[in-house]
Amino acid sequence: MTCKTVVAKLGGSVITVKDSPETINWDSLDLLLDQISGFTGSGGKMALVLGGGSFGHYVVSSILSKRGSLSIEDAPSIQLSMMKLGLAFLHRAVEKGIRATLHPPHTFCSVGSCSFEPLARDLEAGLTPVTYGDAVPGTGSVSIVSGDDLAVEISRRLSAECLFFVVDTGGVIGADGSVLVELDNVGLVENRGRRKGWDVTGGMSRKIKAALQAPRTTLVRIIGTSDLLSAIRGKPVGTLVKARSEG
Ligand SMILES: Nc1ncnc2c1ncn2[C@@H]1O[C@H](COP(=O)(O)OP(=O)(O)OP(=O)(O)O)[C@@H](O)[C@H]1O
Ligand SMILES: [Mg+2]
């Protein structure tokens, strides 16, 4: 199977140096962008979601360690950090010939619901919409929208055949230390990989929970940095998530 429309969540564990504040992992980013331009340059449709990595996760973790909770006044600094990551990504993507457009979720999401029309419009126009995990103000508070959840919702909205979560471990690591070929439940996966840096959206087990919410008809894999094109071409790379949602 070759995917025509792909949603890829580029994990913060890959595109940033997760234990170094606001640091991009350019080598991994370039490896991904070369695969993305290979696909979009030959007519493939793709929407991208960036993880918070050492940008959003770091800022939120710093606030939580100082004050214990987030308030609405924290929205600007979290949003600013993610915009820096988004802009750096966009700059590099455009340099590499990808027609990427950037969509900050705080402009199209409210707490609990997002309106993905601008992303769908850009995809339809042959562009590559990019969004990311973000801080979305609510009534008197601020919510962190997880990139993993956004990726699942976007894949449903765009009727993407394929949804890939790119992580630094090559997939989900099982009890014997190797990458699982497939899974259909969360199980006891957490803490088998090296946990580096900051994380405020639940790490691998939360990612699997989100992935399991994707429609049954969507091919869902958790894959490594160099596996994106192989996954698009239908190769059995990383961990297949047997998604169970009817929607
Ligand atoms: N069983 C497991 N298999 C693979 N990774 C695991 C496992 N258990 C814990 N992990 C950790 O989960 C990490 C991936 O989740 P994490 O949320 O940190 O990354 P990400 O989603 O790529 O980043 P971000 O949330 O910034 O987008 C891995 O880097 C690893 O340290
Ligand atoms: Mg994560």
Side-chain angles (χ1 to χ4, degrees):
M1 176 206 188
T2 300
C3 314
K4 292 195 184 78
T5 302
V6 176
V7 174
K9 154 77 191 313
L10 309 181
S13 63
V14 172
I15 61 172
T16 77
V17 181
K18 249 193 131 163
D19 51 5
S20 174
E22 300 200 334
T23 307
I24 291 174
N25 184 333
W26 290 106
D27 289 345
S28 296
L29 188 60
D30 281 348
L31 188 53
L32 284 167
L33 288 174
D34 289 341
Q35 296 174 80
I36 291 162
S37 73
F39 178 61
T40 57
S42 52
K45 286 180 185 278
M46 189 176 246
L48 297 167
V49 182
L50 312 180
S54 63
F55 288 76
H57 285 300
Y58 167 70
V59 174
V60 173
S61 297
S62 310
I63 296 166
L64 291 177
S65 65
K66 270 185 223 132
R67 292 208 315 274
S69 65
L70 295 178
S71 67
I72 197 135
E73 293 79 26
D74 298 315
S77 59
I78 304 164
Q79 292 176 358
L80 176 63
S81 185
M82 286 310 294
M83 278 204 228
K84 284 192 232 170
L85 174 62
L87 274 182
F89 181 89
L90 194 73
H91 194 265
R92 193 70 158 176
V94 170
E95 253 175 21
K96 284 188 174 278
I98 300 164
R99 299 191 180 107
T101 57
L102 193 59
H103 299 261
H106 62 266
T107 64
F108 65 84
C109 293
S110 340
V111 175
S113 80
C114 299
S115 158
F116 296 113
E117 273 65 38
L119 281 80
R121 174 203 62 204
D122 286 9
L123 191 82
E124 203 48 47
L127 304 169
T128 301
V130 181
T131 188
Y132 48 76
D134 201 4
V136 175
T139 316
S141 68
V142 66
S143 273
I144 302 303
V145 176
S146 135
D148 294 330
D149 291 340
L150 274 179
V152 172
E153 287 175 43
I154 292 169
S155 69
R156 184 177 288 114
R157 170 65 181 81
L158 300 180
S159 304
E161 297 95 10
C162 301
L163 168 61
F164 301 127
F165 295 86
V166 185
V167 292
D168 65 341
T169 47
V172 180
I173 298 169
D176 67 357
S178 59
V179 170
L180 296 173
V181 172
E182 61 177 44
L183 56 77
D184 61 8
N185 63 73
V186 175
L188 295 170
V189 297
E190 200 57 51
N191 298 327
R192 294 214 182 112
R194 304 148 291 135
R195 163 51 61 78
K196 294 188 299 272
W198 306 273
D199 195 280
V200 295
T201 49
M204 183 54 78
S205 50
R206 186 67 190 76
K207 185 188 303 296
I208 295 168
K209 267 186 206 144
L212 287 166
Q213 297 304 311
R216 264 183 210 276
T217 48
T218 308
L219 173 69
V220 183
R221 289 187 176 280
I222 299 175
I223 61 172
T225 313
S226 51
D227 293 336
L228 186 55
L229 271 182
S230 300
I232 289 170
R233 291 177 183 138
K235 302 271 174 0
V237 289
T239 304
L240 174 69
V241 178
K242 296 176 130 185
R244 300 179 301 180
S245 164
E246 294 293 344

